Amino acid sequence: MSGNDIAWPTVEHYYQAHKFVGVEDSAALDCVENIKAAKSPEEAARIGRKMQRQRPDLVRSDWDPTRIEVMYRALKCKFSIYPHLNTMLLSTVGSDLVEASPHDRFWGGGREGEGCNHLGKLLMQLRSEFLGESSKFGETSPA
């Protein structure tokens, strides 16, 4: 996957690293490099979450309002580059997409549907965009 002129192993690597991108601190730069070098998406997530907990001062100041846009860019890149994934996404037309995580109430639907399901919403937005429809989540990409 390519984003911001850098190749990233996975969406998770890109997303976790972008918590620290643009922060003028050598520890933040090291964190980005460590996440990029992680051997799996799970390891990238562990590194990013651990650093976010241990060194909140290294997280970019606009992270909370920006994280949905960062994920949107990563997903758009992923589903644009890999035709088989794009085809799979388009095959879900007419279906609501829900990240079935009982523990993640931001990206997922939560245990009993109480979650925000931002990942599912982004995937449905991209699906609409790829189909040339205006998105029910907004006429333009997230800001």
Side-chain angles (χ1 to χ4, degrees):
M1 181 184 138
S2 177
N4 296 353
D5 298 324
I6 297 173
W8 294 92
T10 69
V11 166
E12 191 68 35
H13 285 78
Y14 177 86
Y15 177 80
Q16 293 296 332
H18 275 73
K19 292 176 180 180
F20 311 99
V21 166
V23 175
E24 298 295 327
D25 186 304
S26 61
L29 296 173
D30 290 344
C31 188
V32 169
E33 290 305 313
N34 289 338
I35 291 169
K36 188 175 181 197
K39 299 206 182 314
S40 69
E42 295 82 10
E43 183 182 350
R46 273 193 302 276
I47 295 168
R49 290 178 185 138
K50 179 179 177 184
M51 288 304 295
Q52 187 175 15
R53 277 191 313 275
Q54 291 181 348
R55 293 288 310 272
D57 59 303
L58 296 180
V59 177
R60 53 195 274 185
S61 61
D62 67 344
W63 181 243
D64 279 341
T66 305
R67 63 186 173 161
I68 292 175
E69 172 63 23
V70 169
M71 182 63 78
Y72 171 83
R73 285 193 315 260
L75 292 171
K76 186 167 187 173
C77 184
K78 175 180 179 174
F79 285 94
S80 296
I81 290 173
Y82 299 105
H84 67 288
L85 295 179
N86 186 284
T87 299
M88 188 182 304
L89 180 62
L90 296 180
S91 75
T92 67
V93 168
S95 299
D96 285 337
L97 302 179
V98 178
E99 164 64 27
S101 171
H103 306 292
D104 188 341
R105 291 186 305 192
F106 183 80
W107 293 111
R111 187 172 304 276
E112 296 180 28
E114 76 282 10
C116 296
N117 191 37
H118 286 296
L119 181 60
K121 290 175 183 176
L122 287 176
L123 290 170
M124 290 185 286
Q125 177 180 341
L126 284 169
R127 179 181 65 196
S128 292
E129 290 173 11
F130 288 133
L131 290 170
E133 303 170 358
S134 64
S135 170
K136 63 182 176 182
F137 301 107
E139 293 297 316
T140 60
S141 62

